[in-house]
């Protein structure tokens, strides 16, 4: 089934630990995105990539890094997690120059 | 001031009611307007997509854009309990399709 998968579904993490959230899409979309969703704040863009090998910063990039080694995968890394990074993280993909994005099921992350 | 404002609700209506969900925005460069539906503990799914001003209808759903007022709406006719979800508006300022989202309106349709 075409779409976006994310892993893990949920995670509880101790502050200071490193964590990588995984995202894979099979729609051959060239653009991929990472958002965080917090109550009352909606979806905020963390990082994006318009094509393999390139990445860019979104609205809230601090404390996060991404890489885009190929078209399908776009992992998000928290180098040293802090409690303010407790959130639900969504990966999305779309076509550069297109107008819509398609979202994965999300990863619920709690940093204690 | 946020670029996109959306009343968070919650909005509670009886089954069969007409629902009106709205967003206002400040950036006149927005050209593409979307509505996403998000069920609890799920990812957002694209519901409606509109370019520039005008109306678009899809079954029980109608999306309306008034660029002169910087105001968009989503109407749901004959609402069903299965419509209970959070509805997010999103807009594209053009270029590399970076979407700007509203905070979402939580809708509950009760039987």
């Amino acid at each position: 089934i075409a779409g976006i998968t994310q892993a893990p579904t949920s995670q509880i993490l101790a502050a200071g630990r490193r964590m990588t959230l995984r995202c894979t899409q099979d729609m051959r979309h060239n653009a991929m995105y990472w958002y965080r969703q917090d109550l009352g704040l909606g979806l905020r863009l963390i990082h994006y990539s318009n094509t393999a090998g390139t990445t860019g910063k979104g609205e809230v990039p601090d404390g996060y890094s991404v890489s885009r080694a190929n078209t399908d995968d776009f992992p998000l890394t928290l180098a040293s997690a802090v409690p303010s990074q407790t959130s639900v993280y969504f990966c999305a993909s779309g076509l550069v120059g297109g107008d819509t994005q398609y979202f994965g099921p999300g990863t619920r992350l709690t940093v204690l | 001031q946020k670029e996109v404002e959306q009343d968070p609700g919650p909005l509670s209506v009886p089954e069969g009611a007409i629902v009106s969900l709205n967003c206002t925005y400040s950036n006149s460069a927005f050209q593409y307007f979307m509505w996403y539906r998000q069920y609890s503990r799920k990812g957002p799914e694209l519901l409606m997509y509109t370019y520039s001003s005008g109306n678009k209808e899809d079954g029980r759903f109608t999306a309306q854009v008034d660029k002169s007022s910087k105001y968009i709406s989503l109407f749901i006719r004959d609402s069903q309990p299965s419509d209970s979800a959070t509805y997010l508006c999103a807009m594209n300022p053009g270029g590399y399709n970076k979407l700007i989202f509203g905070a979402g309106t939580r809708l509950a349709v009760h039987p």
Side-chain angles (χ1 to χ4, degrees):
Chain A
I1 297 176
I4 300 177
T5 58
Q6 292 185 239
T9 302
S10 64
Q11 182 75 43
I12 299 174
L13 189 66
R17 298 297 296 269
R18 180 183 179 90
M19 175 75 190
T20 295
L21 308 185
R22 299 185 298 279
C23 174
T24 300
Q25 54 106 358
D26 63 2
M27 297 178 282
R28 309 305 294 174
H29 287 159
N30 42 15
M32 296 187 75
Y33 309 84
W34 274 105
Y35 292 89
R36 59 178 289 172
Q37 187 175 36
D38 303 287
L39 193 63
L41 297 177
L43 285 158
R44 293 182 291 167
L45 183 65
I46 303 171
H47 284 287
Y48 67 94
S49 168
N50 288 323
T51 188
T54 69
T55 62
K57 293 181 179 180
E59 181 185 356
V60 287
D62 293 342
Y64 305 95
S65 63
V66 292
S67 61
R68 186 90 183 274
N70 57 60
T71 297
D72 299 342
D73 301 299
F74 191 43
L76 175 74
T77 297
L78 290 67
S80 179
V82 294
S84 62
Q85 292 177 311
T86 294
S87 187
V88 182
Y89 292 86
F90 289 101
C91 179
S93 72
L95 294 173
V96 172
D99 313 304
T100 58
Q101 296 176 14
Y102 301 87
F103 285 79
T107 293
R108 189 172 294 268
L109 181 68
T110 301
V111 183
L112 301 175
Chain B
Q1 183 188 4
K2 293 180 183 178
E3 275 193 288
V4 179
E5 297 280 358
Q6 185 176 10
D7 187 335
L11 186 60
S12 181
V13 302
E15 184 175 355
I18 296 174
V19 175
S20 172
L21 304 166
N22 312 293
C23 288
T24 59
Y25 63 94
S26 57
N27 188 343
S28 59
F30 289 145
Q31 293 287 338
Y32 301 93
F33 304 89
M34 283 135 273
W35 286 95
Y36 283 81
R37 178 175 61 195
Q38 185 176 22
Y39 290 115
S40 181
R41 303 184 85 88
K42 300 289 187 184
E45 57 177 329
L46 182 65
L47 188 62
M48 296 286 284
Y49 158 78
T50 311
Y51 170 70
S52 196
S53 284
N55 292 0
K56 184 173 184 179
E57 188 173 324
D58 184 1
R60 296 184 294 110
F61 299 89
T62 300
Q64 198 171 77
V65 175
D66 181 350
K67 291 191 69 181
S68 62
S69 302
K70 298 190 179 65
Y71 188 88
I72 71 170
S73 301
L74 177 70
F75 298 97
I76 307 174
R77 291 184 300 280
D78 188 25
S79 57
Q80 303 294 308
S82 59
D83 295 328
S84 298
T86 295
Y87 290 81
L88 301 126
C89 62
M91 305 174 192
N92 183 350
Y96 289 102
N97 60 325
K98 292 181 190 177
L99 293 181
I100 309 298
F101 284 87
T105 299
R106 192 149 50 96
L107 171 68
V109 181
H110 52 86

